[in-house]
Amino acid sequence: MAVEKFESALKKLEDVVKKLESGELSLDESLKAFEEGVKHSAFCSKKLDEAERRVELLLKQRDGSFHKKPFEEEEQEF
């Protein structure tokens, strides 16, 4: 079984959206396309979450060295 990539899942999701927006699908076809789109959307969301966890920020220390810090969604300002 081939491993799906984010880019191919995103392209499939875009194709599903185009089909749904065309208004040419029957109700059953629209429901099937919608279900397919939800699966692709969930896959893309999972991949983006995984990528976000892998991102680390490099913070420069006073001595010029760098310290790695895990990426946080939002930093609070005080």
Side-chain angles (χ1 to χ4, degrees), residues 38-53:
V38 168
K39 288 178 186 174
H40 293 305
S41 175
F43 177 83
C44 289
S45 180
K46 179 183 170 192
K47 287 293 188 182
L48 288 172
D49 287 344
E50 289 172 3
E52 185 176 296
R53 285 192 298 271

Side-chain angles (χ1 to χ4, degrees), residues 23-77:
E24 297 176 0
L25 299 176
S26 68
L27 178 60
D28 287 338
E29 291 170 331
S30 293
L31 288 172
K32 186 176 180 178
F34 180 78
E35 289 174 356
E36 182 183 343
V38 168
K39 288 178 186 174
H40 293 305
S41 175
F43 177 83
C44 289
S45 180
K46 179 183 170 192
K47 287 293 188 182
L48 288 172
D49 287 344
E50 289 172 3
E52 185 176 296
R53 285 192 298 271
R54 293 176 58 190
V55 172
E56 292 181 327
L57 300 175
L58 289 176
L59 301 176
K60 192 171 185 178
Q61 303 296 301
R62 288 185 181 173
D63 66 359
S65 65
F66 287 92
H67 169 73
K68 285 198 278 185
K69 176 184 172 193
F71 177 81
E72 296 176 17
E73 286 187 30
E74 291 184 24
E75 293 192 26
Q76 296 179 353
E77 294 182 22

